[in-house]
Structures are given as C-alpha cells and as structure tokens.
C-alpha cells in the first residue's frame, strides 16, 4: 500500500464553467483516516468519485504511491484501483443472506469455497456481525445494515475505503454508535479511509485528519485538534466548533493566539481603527464581576450548563456558558480569556 496523492486536482462539468473541484492538493498517508468536511455542494462527492474512478479530472492528477491513477488524459478503471466505496444508501441485495451479500464481491472475482467462507467470516467479525450471517437485510436494524455494507467493502481487502456520508440516513443515537464502529473498523482493517461529511462534529470525532472544503477549494488540512485551535480564516473558523467571530481592532493583535492581556489593550484603542476577525470559543468567555457589558439574547439549557448567546454592543454577538440560571434580557459583565485571530 502507499499514500494517496491528489495533485492540483480539478473537475469542471461544463467546459469554461465554474469548477466543482478547484485545484485541490492533498496527501493521505497509508492507513490514514481523512475526513473531507464542507457544506453541501462544495465538491466533496466529486473528489471522492474521482478517487474511485467514476469521474475523470479535467486537470491535475491522482496517484497511489508512484502509480498514476488518473489525470486529464488517462485513467485506471475503477475495478483496477483496489478501492471500495460505501454510499449513503447501503444497497444490499434483499433476497440474499447477510453472508451472501458480504461474499458477493468475492463471487464476482471468482473466489469460492473455503477461502470465500473464511473471508466472509473475517469481514463479519470486523463489524461484529458474526451471529447474523444467515439473516436477511430486512431483519436487521439500520445500523446493522450499514455494518453489512462495511463488511462487504472490507471483504475485498481494499487499499482505500471511500465513504460518502454513510451515516446521513441514521438517527442521532445510531450515528454515535456507528462512529465507534467506523473507528474500530479503521483500526482493525488498517485501510486508508476517506470519509465525506458535512457534519463537523462527526469529522472531528472520527478522523485523524480533517480537510475542509468550500466552493470546490481546499481551505485547510490538519488534525481535528489543530483545526479547532488554529482554524485558517473565517470559513473554517465558522464551520468548526461553536465559536463566535468578532471584529476587533487589528493594531494590537500581534500574535494569532490572543490572551486576556492583549484583548484588554485592544479594547482601550477601539476608535477609528482597522479591524480584524477574531474567533472566541464559549469556554473562553467568563461571566465576571468586571468586564464588558453584554446582554443575554438566548438561553439554552443543556443539563450541565446554560448555553448563552450574548449581544456585545450593537452588532457583535458572542457565545458563552453559565452554570447559574440566566434569563433572556439580563445584563451581564464578561471577560474574554483568550481568542484566535483568523
Ligand atoms: P457535495 O458532495 O459536497 O455536496 P458535489 O461534489 O456533489 O458536492 O457537487 C459539487 C458541485 O458540482 C455542485 O454544484 C453540483 O451541482 C455539481 N455537480 C456534481 N455532479 C455533477 C454532474 N454529474 N454534472 C454537473 N454538475 C455536477
Ligand atoms: Mg455529496
């Protein structure tokens, strides 16, 4: 196996039209787990389909190690890429047992007998469905069906597993359970995985690396922790975590990570200055005796705490948490402990 490389990859569905994927360069290490995150329509599925071989790039190339899989003039057929794609709809054969569904790709490849049986057993083991081999898909829950679809893709031992919003049809509880299954599946199979989602929490929880896309372009690739702590620009900052973006006088923002001291200084130099965007996380906003005046505009009880929206001055909004009950319309005093300059 080898790393997967996207090299200045572009796809325009119409000649001269706005490209659906625009100059995307990315490397996924062997055995890595990358989440491709972005709003609906930003080009995620198109990237995945190019990797799988269902679409040809109009520019750039895709490589697995030194092997060129596709560029604008040539491409390796999907069945010769040793990749597997799992879709949102799991597309199981209803008339076949779970075992036969899982074994189907082997049958197509002419693998039969003992070897087939053993591979099916291993694949079902990997998704903890050993006991369900003889059932029909109709007798399984949504989560179990999704696991059958995973086992079916694992059975061919693909180098790369491509998942396109595989949990989008499941309810919240099941999604959390399945996130666990995906992580386990990744750890056990050792396959390189690319997981497309528009759900930032899912991307952060699952993957070892997150690639954020918007309007066909790649904005940032980093670990979930890095993307959360040091997002590049407003779009990533707004997409990941529950931050609020504030305008702040730029002159005194020397560092990107801003501490309380620096934020205090800026506040006293506000008049007629150039402003920069800063990202403030709710856990960094403290409701204190002394500080800036803010008005509570929304209160959501979350059990352990209250999640607040606050208005700061006329135009700025902020999020904060409070342990004490607070009412809409209350005036509070806040201190921002730290922030990140976008
Ligand atoms: P995402 O998966 O992030 O929602 P897609 O990759 O499906 O985004 O789509 C990206 C853009 O490309 C959209 O504007 C979509 O309408 C367009 N697009 C996708 N597939 C095709 C196609 N086969 N023909 C023309 N336009 C397409
Ligand atoms: Mg899509």
């Amino acid at each position: 196996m080898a790393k997967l490389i996207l090299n200045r990859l572009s796809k325009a569905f119409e000649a001269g039209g706005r490209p659906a994927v625009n100059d995307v360069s990315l490397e996924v290490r062997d055995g890595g787990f990358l989440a491709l995150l972005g709003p609906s329509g930003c080009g995620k599925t198109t990237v995945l389909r190019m990797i799988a071989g269902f679409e040809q790039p109009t520019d750039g190339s895709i490589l697995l190690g030194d092997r060129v899989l596709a560029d604008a003039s040539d491409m390796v057929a999907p069945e010769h890429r040793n990749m597997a794609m799992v879709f949102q709809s799991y597309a199981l054969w209803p008339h076949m047992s779970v075992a036969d569904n899982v074994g189907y790709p082997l049958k197509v490849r002419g693998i039969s007998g003992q070897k087939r049986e053993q591979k099916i057993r291993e694949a079902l083991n990997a998704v903890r469905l050993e006991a369900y081999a003889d059932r029909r898909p109709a007798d399984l829950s949504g989560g179990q069906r999704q696991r059958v679809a995973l086992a079916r893709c694992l059975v061919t031992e693909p180098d790369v597993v491509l998942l396109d919003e595989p949990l989008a049809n499941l309810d919240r509880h099941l999604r959390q359970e399945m996130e666990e299954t995906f992580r386990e599946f990744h750890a056990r199979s050792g396959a390189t995985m690319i997981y497309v989602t528009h759900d930032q929490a899912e991307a952060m929880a699952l993957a070892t690396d997150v690639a954020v896309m918007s309007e066909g372009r790649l904005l940032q690739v980093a670990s979930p922790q890095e993307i959360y702590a040091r997002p590049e620009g407003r779009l990533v900052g707004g997409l990941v975590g529950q931050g609020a973006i504030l305008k702040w006088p730029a002159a005194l923002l020397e560092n990107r990570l801003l501490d309380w001291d620096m934020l205090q200084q800026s506040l006293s130099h506000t008049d007629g200055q150039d402003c920069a965007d800063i990202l403030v996380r709710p856990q960094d906003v403290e409701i204190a005796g002394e500080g800036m005046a803010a008005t509570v505009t929304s209160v959501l009880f979350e059990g352990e705490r209250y999640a607040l929206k606050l208005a700061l001055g006329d135009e700025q909004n902020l999020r904060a948490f409070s342990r004490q009950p607070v009412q809409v319309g209350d005036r509070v005093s806040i201190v921002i402990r730290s922030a990140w300059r976008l």
Side-chain angles (χ1 to χ4, degrees), residues 44-46 164-165 196:
K44 305 180 296 294
T45 294
T46 305
D164 194 357
E165 313 227 17
V196 160

Side-chain angles (χ1 to χ4, degrees), residues 79 133 164 280 289:
E79 61 272 24
D164 194 357
V280 182

Side-chain angles (χ1 to χ4, degrees), residues 143-220:
Q144 289 169 334
R145 279 182 224 166
Q146 185 59 268
R147 271 144 65 188
V148 176
L150 266 178
R152 185 178 53 187
C153 108
L154 185 68
V155 83
T156 59
E157 294 170 27
D159 293 330
V160 181
V161 179
L162 306 169
L163 302 134
D164 194 357
E165 313 227 17
L167 302 184
N169 288 340
L170 305 182
D171 65 45
R172 192 169 171 184
H173 180 71
L174 207 50
R175 290 170 75 114
Q176 280 168 355
E177 191 186 310
M178 284 304 296
E179 283 175 14
E180 203 58 47
T181 306
F182 280 118
R183 274 202 301 266
E184 233 179 75
F185 171 82
H186 175 248
R188 284 188 181 208
S189 70
T192 303
M193 291 177 47
I194 303 183
Y195 188 106
V196 160
T197 179
H198 65 273
D199 182 330
Q200 60 97 12
E202 197 171 289
M204 309 282 276
L206 278 173
T208 52
D209 297 278
V210 179
V212 185
M213 281 185 75
S214 171
E215 297 185 344
R217 291 192 177 271
L218 191 64
L219 301 179
Q220 188 174 5

Side-chain angles (χ1 to χ4, degrees), residues 65-263:
D66 343 329
R67 183 180 175 218
V68 179
L69 296 181
D71 59 24
S73 56
D74 211 358
M75 65 188 241
V76 175
E79 61 272 24
H80 294 132
R81 293 187 183 203
N82 203 23
M83 294 182 179
M85 191 149 167
V86 181
F87 299 94
Q88 204 179 88
S89 58
Y90 349 106
L92 302 176
W93 302 105
H95 60 286
M96 288 185 196
S97 69
V98 164
D100 286 342
N101 265 287
V102 171
Y104 187 77
L106 299 174
K107 196 169 161 190
V108 173
R109 286 168 167 78
I111 299 167
S112 58
Q114 282 278 323
K115 192 165 177 204
R116 179 166 177 269
E117 296 300 311
Q118 191 195 335
K119 282 186 179 293
I120 292 173
R121 218 171 316 121
E122 282 171 9
L124 284 175
N125 253 324
V127 297
R128 303 198 183 285
L129 282 179
E130 317 73 320
Y132 294 80
D134 299 327
R135 303 246 190 131
R136 306 263 157 173
D139 302 327
L140 303 180
S141 71
Q144 289 169 334
R145 279 182 224 166
Q146 185 59 268
R147 271 144 65 188
V148 176
L150 266 178
R152 185 178 53 187
C153 108
L154 185 68
V155 83
T156 59
E157 294 170 27
D159 293 330
V160 181
V161 179
L162 306 169
L163 302 134
D164 194 357
E165 313 227 17
L167 302 184
N169 288 340
L170 305 182
D171 65 45
R172 192 169 171 184
H173 180 71
L174 207 50
R175 290 170 75 114
Q176 280 168 355
E177 191 186 310
M178 284 304 296
E179 283 175 14
E180 203 58 47
T181 306
F182 280 118
R183 274 202 301 266
E184 233 179 75
F185 171 82
H186 175 248
R188 284 188 181 208
S189 70
T192 303
M193 291 177 47
I194 303 183
Y195 188 106
V196 160
T197 179
H198 65 273
D199 182 330
Q200 60 97 12
E202 197 171 289
M204 309 282 276
L206 278 173
T208 52
D209 297 278
V210 179
V212 185
M213 281 185 75
S214 171
E215 297 185 344
R217 291 192 177 271
L218 191 64
L219 301 179
Q220 188 174 5
V221 191
S223 69
Q225 289 78 6
E226 175 89 6
I227 292 256
Y228 183 83
R230 290 182 276 278
E232 286 300 333
R234 277 187 74 94
L235 277 166
V236 184
L239 198 64
V240 171
Q242 293 189 26
I245 296 172
L246 297 185
K247 292 252 169 259
W248 211 261
L252 287 164
L253 302 178
E254 294 155 13
N255 303 340
R256 296 206 62 191
L257 185 61
L258 308 162
D259 61 12
W260 177 79
D261 250 4
M262 219 176 287
L263 292 162

Side-chain angles (χ1 to χ4, degrees), residues 238-313:
L239 198 64
V240 171
Q242 293 189 26
I245 296 172
L246 297 185
K247 292 252 169 259
W248 211 261
L252 287 164
L253 302 178
E254 294 155 13
N255 303 340
R256 296 206 62 191
L257 185 61
L258 308 162
D259 61 12
W260 177 79
D261 250 4
M262 219 176 287
L263 292 162
Q264 288 295 100
Q265 285 183 51
S266 308
L267 196 61
S268 54
H269 292 77
T270 41
D271 297 337
Q273 293 204 44
D274 275 351
C275 282
D277 291 324
I278 65 167
L279 176 69
V280 182
R281 302 288 188 194
Q283 65 270 27
D284 295 324
V285 177
E286 195 179 308
I287 297 175
E290 260 173 67
M292 293 175 265
T295 308
V296 178
T297 57
S298 148
V299 180
L300 188 68
F301 181 53
E302 291 184 342
E304 298 79 18
R305 64 192 181 194
Y306 296 84
L308 315 181
K309 284 187 189 158
L310 305 170
L312 192 66

